[in-house]
Amino acid sequence: MLPLSRSLVLVLLFLLGIVATAMAFAGTVPIFENVGNVVPLVLAAEIVLYFFLTLFTNPRIPLVSTIVLSVGMALFRAIACVLGSAAASAFSEGQLQPIEGWMVAWIGNPIGVLIQFILLALAAPHFLEMVFPDMIGRETRQKLLGSSSRPVESNRSAQNPMSDSNPSGGFIQVFSYDELTAVIRKSHGLEGFIIYNNEGLIVWRDLPIRLESDRLVAKLMALHDQLADVVEASSLSRVRKVMVESREHLVFITPLNQNFGMIMVYNQSTTPSESFTRLAVIAKTTREFLQWKYPGLPVTASMTQSQMAIEMVKV
């Protein structure tokens, strides 16, 4: 027996259907007198249709990713038509020219184009769920996986306590930065994180995004403390964490204790409510690990942290 995931099987079936459709229509008579003249128009219309279909069915996908995905889907259909026409030419024993058959299968017959478009649109969400799961929203993922996904997730949580979002004691015990990274990386939609000390120096970084991390940490430390002072001066309770939402990211800034703080960057495939449910466990897990790893660190006054961060921003 060869166990395969449901999404993989569906993707393979849809892709075989696209190639088979190209084979079936490669030898038909095109409706256009000169197929080459309509290539730019049909290709542009196809990319636009893919773009709006992706945008409306899953609005959490960033705009740039939507454009790349639309172009990639159009390119894949062209490649599938090449394979289908080549197979049709081989079965026809040379009676069908591969290039002519490819153009007909790709653009020449609207019925074949429509069938391929539908099959590709059905295959795309399952492909993204397998390869780029962070680009799929939670509701879309539940629809793709069906009702059987919930018991599977429960069984996984029972077998692997590291994946439990509400572990006993409110945190997960780890003994190295690699183990800590593995725990934090289980958060849905997480792009990466930075752990920094009270001097604004980066202690640990797992953030693939290219940016000036040192300057980002210094500025966010200063702004967090300034905002906390303003809120506290207004007779409100002290700020524990700050969330900044941009077009493509959610950024959480939270002090862990007097000596360390953390910055977490999420993409737009997750919501603030989903992030908050995991953030408390992550913060306590990281805090407990740092206190275990650095037991001799003195308690530093919070004013020193603010002053140092502000001075680094000025520099």
Side-chain angles (χ1 to χ4, degrees):
M1 297 178 64
L2 182 62
L4 296 175
S5 67
R6 176 185 175 185
S7 295
L8 178 59
V9 173
L10 289 175
V11 168
L12 292 176
L13 290 176
F14 285 134
L15 298 186
L16 289 175
I18 295 173
V19 175
T21 303
M23 291 179 59
F25 286 90
T28 60
V29 179
I31 65 169
F32 306 107
E33 184 176 352
N34 192 337
V35 179
N37 292 337
V38 297
V39 168
L41 179 62
V42 175
L43 186 60
E46 182 178 6
I47 293 176
V48 170
L49 287 175
Y50 288 139
F51 175 82
F52 284 107
L53 180 65
T54 305
L55 193 64
F56 289 137
T57 55
N58 199 347
R60 293 188 181 278
I61 299 181
L63 184 61
V64 176
S65 300
T66 304
I67 296 174
V68 173
L69 182 61
S70 303
V71 175
M73 292 172 69
L75 180 61
F76 175 82
R77 196 179 73 82
I79 296 175
C81 289
V82 171
L83 297 177
S85 62
S89 176
F91 282 112
S92 66
E93 298 180 353
Q95 296 180 6
L96 176 65
Q97 296 298 323
I99 297 179
E100 294 179 359
W102 169 61
M103 294 297 292
V104 174
W106 184 34
I107 292 177
N109 197 306
I111 299 178
V113 173
L114 179 61
I115 295 175
Q116 290 177 337
F117 176 84
I118 294 174
L119 292 175
L120 193 55
L122 293 174
H126 296 279
F127 175 78
L128 291 178
E129 196 276 329
M130 289 191 308
V131 182
F132 304 106
D134 290 342
M135 297 178 66
I136 298 293
R138 186 176 182 179
E139 295 181 358
T140 305
R141 183 180 291 106
Q142 289 179 349
K143 292 179 181 179
L144 293 176
L145 297 178
S147 58
S148 62
S149 62
R150 292 185 179 179
V152 173
E153 291 177 356
S154 300
N155 292 335
R156 288 179 179 177
S157 299
Q159 295 173 2
N160 185 8
M162 297 286 284
S163 64
D164 191 356
S165 60
N166 294 304
S168 177
F171 71 97
I172 302 170
Q173 190 172 18
V174 296
F175 298 98
S176 68
Y177 280 112
D178 291 333
E179 290 183 8
L180 178 65
T181 301
V183 171
I184 298 177
R185 275 292 177 186
K186 294 180 181 293
S187 300
H188 169 66
L190 181 69
E191 291 280 349
F193 67 95
I194 298 174
I195 300 174
Y196 57 88
N197 63 12
N198 60 351
E199 297 180 351
L201 300 177
I202 296 177
V203 177
W204 186 261
R205 179 183 187 272
D206 184 11
L207 186 62
I209 303 175
R210 299 184 61 181
L211 45 79
E212 298 182 15
S213 301
D214 295 331
R215 186 172 181 82
L216 175 67
V217 169
K219 284 190 174 184
L220 290 180
M221 285 177 62
L223 294 175
H224 178 277
D225 288 336
Q226 291 175 5
L227 179 60
D229 292 339
V230 171
V231 172
E232 193 172 14
S234 303
S235 301
L236 297 174
S237 58
R238 183 75 177 178
V239 173
R240 298 175 59 186
K241 61 178 69 70
V242 175
M243 185 196 77
V244 180
E245 183 175 7
S246 66
R247 180 181 177 84
E248 297 182 354
H249 296 95
L250 290 173
V251 182
F252 287 95
I253 309 101
T254 177
L256 299 173
N257 53 29
Q258 293 88 345
N259 299 303
F260 299 99
M262 172 180 280
I263 298 172
M264 301 189 68
V265 181
Y266 290 84
N267 58 37
Q268 284 292 350
S269 66
T270 185
T271 62
S273 60
E274 292 174 339
S275 304
F276 269 116
T277 57
R278 184 72 176 170
L279 188 60
V281 177
I282 291 175
K284 189 170 183 180
T285 298
T286 307
R287 186 188 308 116
E288 295 291 333
F289 166 70
L290 293 172
Q291 290 175 353
W292 168 80
K293 189 171 182 63
Y294 308 104
L297 283 180
V299 177
T300 307
S302 59
M303 183 59 69
T304 304
Q305 178 180 348
S306 177
Q307 290 175 345
M308 286 183 177
I310 294 174
E311 289 299 324
M312 290 186 67
V313 173
K314 290 180 180 179
V315 173

